Amino acid sequence: MRRGRTFYFMKRLPRKISGGVSNRFLRLSLRTEFPLDAVVRAGSLLAVYEQKEPEIVDALKQNEISPSEAEALLKAILRKDLNRILQEQNSETALSDQEIDERIAALKAENQALRDAMKFKDWSLVQPALCAAGEKTSLPLPLPVSPALGRRAASLQRQINMAEMVVLNGEDIRLAAADLLPDAYKEDFDRFLKDEIMLSGAIESAVDNATSRDMARKIAATGEIALEFFGDIPLSTITTDKVKDLMFFIQRIPSLHGKKHGNNRFVHDREKATKREEVERADLHDASVRAKIEADETLALPEMRARLAERLIPRLTMTTVGHHLDRLHGIFRNPPIRALRIPRLRSCAMGRGGE
C-alpha cells in the first residue's frame, strides 16, 4: 500500500477453520505506515499463526466424531451390556418371579423414557453409557452428544432392553441378541464379546512376531509415534484419512528427533520431548528464520533460498516416511483382523514446516 495508509496482514484460512468455505482470509491491521516495519510485523504474525494453526485444527477435529468412531462406541455399549446379561444368565442364583417381573417392568419404563427423550432430542439418558464407552475405547466423545449419535445410542439401548426382557423370560442371550450383532459376528457371539483389538495390542503383537531384533526395534519406534498421534484407539477406527494425517505429521518430524534429550548410560531421567513438541519447536524456529530472511530487502531471491536451505531444520526424508508406512502396514496386518487398506503416500510432497 501507499505511504500514509495502514498495512494489513492477510492469510488464507484452511477449509477446516473457515467452516468448509473456500477463499476466506484472516485480515489483521499491522498498525504501521512504514513498509519495512510492516514486513517485520507480518513475519512475526505469520510465525505465531503457523504455530497455532495445527492446534486450532486439532481442537476442531476433537469436536467431530467419524462414522467408524461412532460405530466403535456403539459396539462398546452393546458388548458391555451383552456381557452383563450373559453373566446373569449363567449365574447359579435364579431370580424369583417377583424379581423378574420387577426387572421387566423397569426395562419397559426405561424404554418408554428413552422413547419420550428421543422425541425431544434429549440424550441425557444415553450420555453416561457413551462416556463410559469413550473411556473404554480411548475415543473422545464430543459433548453435547450429537442428535445422530444420540438417536442411534437410544435406539440401541431400547433393543438391548428388549433382548434382556426376552432373556428374563427364559430365552438364551445368543438367540435373543442375534439381530443386534454386526454382520461379521452373526455366527460367533462369543468372539464379539471379546474386547476390540486396540492399537497398543497390535503393536505389541507385531513386535513379538518381528523377524529380527532390529526390525522389532523399528516397529516399536513406528508404533510409539502412532500411539502418540492417535492414542490407544481400536484398530477398526483407523481410517485411510487418519493414516494420511499420520504420514503428513511424520514428514514434519525433525530428522534429529529424540537425540538431544541428554540421556545416556549415566543419566536416564531427563525429560524427553514428545514428537508433537519437537515438531512445534521446529515449525516455530523455521517460521522465525523465514520471517527474518524475507524481511532483509538487501537479499536477492536466490540468496534467500540458499540461506533458508542452510538454516531451516531438516525433516524426515520421504524414504524414511515410506519405511514408517511399511511398518504401519505390518502392524495392522499382524493381528487376526481384516487387513486395513492404507494408501501409498510416498509420492506425496509437503512444504517445510508442514505447509
Side-chain angles (χ1 to χ4, degrees):
M1 294 184 180
R2 296 194 305 269
R3 180 72 178 276
R5 298 185 63 180
T6 303
F7 287 87
Y8 290 90
F9 168 82
M10 296 187 68
K11 181 74 170 65
R12 187 190 299 273
L13 294 173
R15 286 179 178 267
K16 192 67 180 179
I17 296 178
S18 63
V21 180
S22 60
N23 296 327
R24 282 192 174 179
F25 291 83
L26 172 68
R27 185 172 183 266
L28 298 173
S29 172
L30 295 174
R31 299 182 181 181
T32 182
E33 300 176 353
F34 302 99
L36 183 59
D37 193 23
V39 170
V40 175
R41 294 187 183 189
S44 299
L45 278 175
L46 182 63
V48 174
Y49 174 83
E50 290 185 342
Q51 179 190 15
K52 294 298 181 181
E53 182 182 277
E55 299 176 13
I56 297 172
V57 173
D58 288 345
L60 291 173
K61 284 184 177 180
Q62 289 176 0
N63 291 328
E64 298 180 354
I65 184 167
S66 67
S68 61
E69 291 172 339
E71 195 69 28
L73 291 175
L74 295 174
K75 285 197 296 185
I77 292 175
L78 177 60
R79 185 177 289 109
K80 179 181 178 181
D81 279 345
L82 292 185
N83 264 310
R84 173 184 58 80
I85 296 171
L86 179 63
Q87 291 176 5
E88 293 173 355
Q89 173 185 280
N90 294 335
S91 173
E92 296 180 357
T93 303
L95 298 177
S96 65
D97 287 342
Q98 181 179 353
E99 290 173 328
I100 292 175
D101 291 341
E102 290 175 352
R103 178 59 182 160
I104 291 177
L107 291 171
K108 288 182 178 179
E110 182 179 347
N111 274 6
Q112 183 60 50
L114 287 168
R115 189 180 295 109
D116 294 339
M118 291 174 70
K119 295 177 183 177
F120 300 100
K121 298 183 178 180
D122 177 11
W123 317 121
S124 58
L125 294 178
V126 295
Q127 182 172 312
L130 285 170
C131 289
E135 294 179 1
K136 176 69 174 178
T137 58
S138 299
L139 294 173
L141 176 66
L143 296 177
V145 176
S146 68
L149 179 59
R151 188 175 293 105
R152 291 182 65 187
S155 178
L156 175 63
Q157 190 61 60
R158 289 177 55 205
Q159 294 179 70
I160 293 172
N161 290 346
M162 288 188 286
E164 185 172 356
M165 284 187 274
V166 174
V167 172
L168 287 170
N169 282 316
E171 185 61 88
D172 184 81
I173 182 60
R174 290 171 176 80
L175 296 177
D179 292 338
L180 298 180
L181 299 183
D183 292 339
Y185 298 94
K186 292 290 187 185
E187 305 298 329
D188 198 339
F189 178 88
D190 294 321
R191 185 164 68 90
F192 175 75
L193 293 190
K194 296 179 181 179
D195 289 337
E196 279 220 61
I197 299 176
M198 307 297 287
L199 178 58
S200 60
I203 294 170
E204 183 179 354
S205 176
V207 170
D208 291 341
N209 292 286
T211 55
S212 66
R213 182 178 299 179
D214 183 59
M215 181 54 66
R217 177 182 60 79
K218 292 178 179 178
I219 291 174
T222 299
E224 181 182 355
I225 296 175
L227 275 175
E228 179 186 326
F229 187 80
F230 293 131
D232 192 12
I233 60 177
L235 286 189
S236 61
T237 64
I238 300 179
T239 61
T240 297
D241 288 338
K242 284 187 175 183
V243 173
K244 287 182 179 180
D245 291 340
L246 173 60
M247 291 300 110
F248 286 130
F249 172 74
I250 290 177
Q251 289 183 25
R252 297 169 59 199
I253 296 176
S255 58
L256 295 178
H257 65 96
K259 297 182 179 180
K260 294 186 177 181
H261 46 69
N263 289 326
N264 51 43
R265 61 177 177 170
F266 303 107
V267 180
H268 304 280
D269 56 353
R270 289 193 178 98
E271 185 176 354
K272 186 177 179 181
T274 65
K275 296 294 181 286
R276 192 176 295 276
E277 290 172 342
E278 292 196 56
V279 167
E280 290 174 353
R281 292 172 187 173
D283 287 351
L284 184 60
H285 171 273
D286 285 358
S288 177
V289 167
R290 185 167 61 246
K292 290 179 181 178
I293 292 176
E294 291 176 350
D296 190 345
E297 297 181 345
T298 64
L299 297 177
L301 184 58
E303 179 64 19
M304 285 185 179
R305 290 174 176 170
R307 294 196 180 189
L308 282 173
E310 292 175 356
R311 299 181 187 178
L312 294 182
I313 294 177
R315 309 302 175 101
L316 294 182
T317 65
M318 291 306 298
T319 299
T320 301
V321 174
H323 291 329
H324 280 294
L325 181 57
D326 289 340
R327 292 194 286 269
L328 201 62
H329 273 279
I331 290 172
F332 288 154
R333 288 172 177 160
N334 185 268
I337 60 170
R338 178 180 60 83
L340 300 182
R341 293 188 142 203
I342 305 175
R344 293 287 177 183
L345 302 177
R346 287 194 179 93
S347 60
C348 293
M350 290 182 63
R352 299 185 66 89
E355 294 182 346

